[in-house]
Amino acid sequence: MDTQPIISIRNLYKSYGAKQVLKGINLDVYPGQIIGYIGPNGAGKSTTVKVLIGLLSDFEGQVSVLGRDLREHTLEIKRQIGYIPENAEIYDMLTPMEYLLFTGKLYDMEDEQINERAVKMLTAFGLFENKDQRMDTFSKGMRQKVLIISGLMHNPQIVVLDEPLSGLDANAVIIVKEIMSLLKKEGKTIFYCSHMMDVVEKVSDRIILINNGTIVANGTFEELRQTEGDTLEKIFAHLTGDNDLHGVADDFINALGQ
């Protein structure tokens, strides 16, 4: 393993008004790792991601990416990051080719390279025939495929995925998981946020669980399993205090019998 972390976070705090969302996050991520970043809604996952990709600058603490201070080299770092959100406001009056030309230009890519990569990637995703159709007619899964392409087309060193499988069909999920493993083989670093525990369990080199703005677990799945439970779902429930999820389901169904 490379001794230099590609992402280094020290004493990261972030508040929205009086509400403190991140309460002292400390984290090192090394090149070529897939990090599964999980936690309940409101735990601080999305806020961490927004800080990492340079969308939030008013945070306390130190964040270093690719050996550079994020505050001082924001644009430079953004060029090396690919971000795939769950629900982006995609410009759906554009066609996939127009949208990818637009996003490629933001990364100073040449038109020829954008066109070549866009066509190849759309074809791989089964969207070649839709490449010149306006995206306001697309399903959520089709839009998600275009977002995945736009996040990877500039060949970033770090890929941040926030629920990237949302809306995808079973075959596309398999393809995206395979893409992640190939990116890892190329030495890319993947920061993967998801609620899909089975996928996180299978693809992650390291799993980080955040709850109420602090990291409550950080290790390989095997390490976490030895101390907290035999599946990631059980580990998650135990560490976030939701041990009686079955009881909640029972109460819900019992209400139908009233």
Side-chain angles (χ1 to χ4, degrees), residues 168-180:
L168 296 182
D169 59 51
N171 286 339
V173 168
I174 292 167
I175 292 165
V176 172
K177 281 157 71 175
E178 186 62 23
I179 287 169
M180 280 197 276

Side-chain angles (χ1 to χ4, degrees), residues 12-24 47 51 56 58-60:
L12 176 60
Y13 289 83
K14 170 65 186 157
S15 297
Y16 293 103
K19 183 174 170 55
Q20 194 171 52
V21 181
L22 298 179
K23 305 169 184 173
T47 303
V51 168
L56 288 178
D58 57 338
F59 57 85
E60 292 176 49

Side-chain angles (χ1 to χ4, degrees), residues 71-125:
R71 280 196 185 90
E72 292 175 20
H73 302 275
T74 311
L75 271 181
E76 203 179 319
I77 288 166
K78 279 182 177 180
R79 290 178 187 278
Q80 298 298 326
I81 293 179
Y83 174 48
I84 300 164
E86 178 183 10
N87 290 314
E89 292 298 324
I90 202 165
Y91 297 115
D92 61 9
M93 300 306 281
L94 300 179
T95 69
M97 289 302 290
E98 289 168 343
Y99 181 74
L100 293 170
L101 182 65
F102 165 67
T103 52
K105 287 286 208 185
L106 294 177
Y107 290 101
D108 291 333
M109 293 173 67
E110 298 291 332
D111 289 15
E112 191 179 337
Q113 187 179 49
I114 294 169
N115 277 308
E116 190 177 318
R117 287 185 182 174
V119 167
K120 283 180 179 173
M121 293 168 112
L122 286 165
T123 302
F125 264 153

Side-chain angles (χ1 to χ4, degrees), residues 4 23 31 42 74 78 81 130 154 163 200 202 212 217 254:
Q4 284 294 104
K23 305 169 184 173
T74 311
K78 279 182 177 180
I81 293 179
N130 310 98
H154 61 293
E163 295 289 359
V200 173
K202 288 187 179 75
N212 291 323
N254 287 339

